[in-house]
Amino acid sequence: MEELESAIKTVRERVVDILGGCAASIYLYGSLTLGDFRPGWSDIDILVLTEKKIAEGQAGRLVNLRQAMLEERPGNAYYRRFEGGMLSLDAFRLKEKDRVVYWGTSGERITDSYSFDSFSMCELLESGILIWGRDVRDRLSRPAFDELRADVRRHYEGMRKYARETERSLYSFGWLLDISRCLYTLRTGKITAKTAAGEWALKENLCPCAGVLARAVEIRKEPAKYLRDEGVLDEAQALGRSVQSYADVLERELTG
């Protein structure tokens, strides 16, 4: 994990250098801080909150920073895994318009809004790690169960819409882990890591296609082992029916 630690240290230092006197709180959250980070699958979730609006010039430098670090250190693949937002604390807290620097799967850009769903907010508050600045989480509110439930329903609707057919990618197995995580939250009012959620759902015998879920957990634990496994990729492409069958369980939990 030396390369990972080096990437985190460099990102932190470069962000702080660009922001200068604009005091910042920098957090890591998500799978990395939940103990569920898997190279080859997981992202490195980062949140930068500033005391005042990020200046236009600072935003211009920040938005290109991820790509610049990749070019400077092409041997360290972790730089491309950073995803998240950079904006003022008040805009984040109040969900107001602001100058926002966004790094995501689809690229990087400067936009005018950024907010968390209730799952990410719980992760930030409960297991997030402050890597720079002052801890400001006491100014943020923990989502109520109704908010978690509403986000579970949004996840469920996404599964029904987008996972009737699945892609030839390891990420397709993630649908099964997402359903497990939603069920865990509905039953406990808490959040947990995706791998742990899959293991919990297997123990509780919740999935009608338990063998497929067990396979998803197995792959999630060692994704690098399966990245070029043609048989596994074929399995991934054929998961649609299993995902929908498991989504039926989530639907009953939501409506029961």
Side-chain angles (χ1 to χ4, degrees):
M1 287 293 186
E2 185 176 333
E3 285 189 340
L4 173 59
E5 293 175 3
S6 175
I8 292 170
K9 179 176 182 290
T10 302
V11 170
R12 181 189 67 208
E13 291 175 348
R14 296 284 289 273
V15 168
V16 170
D17 180 63
I18 291 171
L19 289 173
C22 186
S25 301
I26 305 178
Y27 294 95
L28 299 178
Y29 67 98
S31 61
L32 183 65
T33 62
L34 286 168
D36 198 32
F37 182 79
R38 311 292 175 179
W41 185 314
S42 305
D43 297 315
I44 303 170
D45 297 301
I46 187 170
L47 175 68
V48 179
L49 299 175
T50 61
E51 287 296 335
K52 58 184 180 181
K53 186 175 183 177
I54 296 173
E56 185 176 355
Q58 292 171 326
R61 294 174 65 191
L62 287 169
V63 75
N64 295 316
L65 178 59
R66 183 173 63 166
Q67 186 60 34
M69 290 184 296
L70 274 170
E71 292 172 359
E72 292 167 9
R73 301 168 175 82
N76 190 331
Y78 286 110
Y79 290 107
R80 68 171 53 91
R81 308 307 300 181
F82 282 89
E83 294 193 357
M86 308 178 194
L87 68 164
S88 70
L89 168 61
D90 285 343
F92 180 74
R93 182 172 60 87
L94 301 173
K95 298 183 179 180
E96 295 178 341
K97 298 290 186 181
D98 194 23
R99 182 176 290 119
V100 177
V101 175
Y102 173 75
W103 293 348
T105 304
S106 59
E108 47 280 322
R109 61 185 179 272
I110 298 173
T111 184
D112 63 0
S113 63
Y114 185 77
S115 60
F116 274 5
D117 66 11
S118 58
F119 280 78
S120 294
M121 184 61 79
C122 286
E123 289 173 359
L124 175 68
L125 294 175
E126 296 174 9
S127 61
I129 296 175
L130 179 71
I131 61 172
W132 181 266
R134 182 169 61 91
D135 196 346
V136 294
R137 284 175 290 187
D138 60 343
R139 296 176 63 181
L140 304 175
S141 299
R142 192 188 191 287
F145 179 74
D146 285 348
E147 295 175 84
L148 287 165
R149 186 180 181 86
D151 279 329
V152 167
R153 178 163 289 280
R154 279 189 280 273
H155 281 293
Y156 162 77
E157 291 169 353
M159 293 162 197
R160 290 302 200 195
K161 183 175 182 179
Y162 298 111
R164 293 194 175 279
E165 295 182 359
T166 51
E167 297 180 354
R168 199 167 184 271
S169 164
L170 294 188
Y171 293 120
S172 293
F173 287 95
W175 289 111
L176 298 157
L177 302 175
D178 288 340
I179 294 172
S180 299
R181 197 177 193 212
C182 287
L183 287 167
Y184 180 87
T185 294
L186 290 177
R187 292 202 172 188
T188 68
K190 302 175 182 179
I191 61 166
T192 190
K194 291 181 180 180
T195 305
E199 292 173 331
W200 168 83
L202 287 169
K203 184 178 179 180
E204 296 293 317
N205 197 29
L206 297 178
C207 184
C209 42
V212 180
L213 177 57
R215 184 69 156 157
V217 170
E218 175 189 352
I219 291 168
R220 168 76 185 189
K221 288 181 175 180
E222 294 185 277
K225 180 179 175 181
Y226 300 99
L227 279 174
R228 294 175 179 81
D229 188 316
E230 297 296 324
V232 170
L233 294 175
D234 288 343
E235 289 178 50
Q237 195 171 26
L239 285 174
R241 183 173 294 180
S242 295
V243 172
Q244 294 305 314
S245 176
Y246 199 12
D248 290 341
V249 178
L250 181 56
E251 180 180 16
R252 290 193 292 272
E253 195 77 21
L254 280 166
T255 59

